[in-house]
Amino acid sequence: MTSLNRAATGAAALLLAGALAAGLPGPATAAPAHAASPSRTAPLAATPARTAAPARTAAAPAADCAESVPFRARTEGYRGFRIPAVVEADGALLAFAEGRKDSLADDGDIDVVVRRSEDGGCTWGPLRVVADAGRDTIGNPSPVVDPATGRVVLLTCRNEHGVMAHRRVFVQHGDATGTGFTPPREITAQVKPDNWNWYGTGPGHALALRHGPHPGRLLVPANHSHRPSPGAGYRAGAHSLYSDDGGRTWQLGYVAQQSDSGLRLDENTMTELPDGRVYSNVRLQKGGSPGTRADAFLAPGGTQLLAPYRARPELTGPVVQGSTLWADPYLVFAGPADPGARAALTLRVSDDQGLGWRAGPQLTSGPSAYSDLVRVDADTLGVLYEKGARSPYETLTFTRVPLAALAAPGPG
């Protein structure tokens, strides 16, 4: 297994460096918003639902387009934007984020917002508010496109202002243009047992399964805290939730609670493999295990673990969320690679469907944190991630990565 403590070398590094130096005068900025956000006094507000637009083909990206900035701190009336999620819908890209109104804290007046790109992530349309819970927090966006209808299904979680606990779960449906979503509908009773407290969907994209016995199933990675017995303290766990009817009804999938193993399972990302198995990679929240990542494989359908989670210390990095994507023939992991700081956002690549990992392209050496991955086209991968010069939380930046840059470096 190639060491993960070195930067990508050879042709892959040259390809990415060429793409990032392709002549952009600076990061492309998103277009200004054209409409005010919905009233902030409503208990749960959303933009009105609209009929999905006809299918379209995405516009070709500019030849020199490598990087853009769909979200920048201290704009659009928000102190900052965090927690990225991105999906492809009807030939366009939809970039979701938490819009944090008053501060960068995880609690407070937090909305879910979205921008749309019709040219592969080079430029972005106006910011739109997808969900607004007034002074409360609604976040952890986890979007997926329902293959049966083409509609976007968005999972989020809500907690009261000042209370980082007792999280509730919601679902929304929107058209592929990203301009209209139904109001958030609560599904907590369907997917959260009574002895759970914290609940986090994603964050990052969810899955629409293509292989195995449940094609079309919507599968959402998630994490939680649970109380193993009355009076006991809360412990961490990972799980999935799923829908077989386009997001109308939901069920709890697998549940992993491995506190006795020393693994404090936290934020969860999943990818379907070509044989139908589902790969799960989770953040380890402190605890006594080596490293900060763990992974496991699930049976086709995503509701049963094939074996317990195991620590993956070779995926070096700080305690932070990460993201995964299948980009044939590679399984790709995105996350900071600096073990001492949220910095050096780097792609790690597996040539054997998650059994081993090697270093891939480094997108930045500077501050960076949460991320999500999307397939832009047959030759390009997109990474939406937190990036800045002094802090990771200055922008959400979108970088286009040629798939050829993921190839293993040749001998010599």
Side-chain angles (χ1 to χ4, degrees), residues 252-329:
L252 191 61
Y254 85 96
V255 176
Q257 298 170 342
Q258 298 180 209
S259 300
D260 293 342
S261 68
L263 301 184
R264 294 184 59 186
L265 309 176
D266 205 274
E267 290 162 324
N268 191 356
T269 176
M270 291 181 178
T271 295
E272 186 182 27
L273 301 175
D275 61 5
R277 291 177 303 150
V278 175
Y279 175 79
S280 170
N281 189 297
V282 301
R283 161 180 173 167
L284 292 180
Q285 189 67 21
K286 301 175 183 178
S289 63
T292 58
R293 308 298 308 180
D295 66 8
F297 294 90
L298 285 76
T303 62
Q304 180 182 354
L305 282 171
L306 295 174
Y309 280 90
R310 56 175 180 164
R312 297 304 299 261
E314 69 271 35
L315 288 173
T316 56
V319 175
V320 71
Q321 177 262 10
S323 54
T324 58
L325 187 76
W326 177 254
D328 194 17

Side-chain angles (χ1 to χ4, degrees), residues 20 25 63 106 110 157 168 173 188 204 209 275 290 292 306 362 407:
L20 293 176
D106 292 336
I110 297 176
C157 296
R168 297 150 58 198
H173 289 76
T188 306
L209 299 185
D275 61 5
T292 58
L306 295 174
Q362 182 183 90

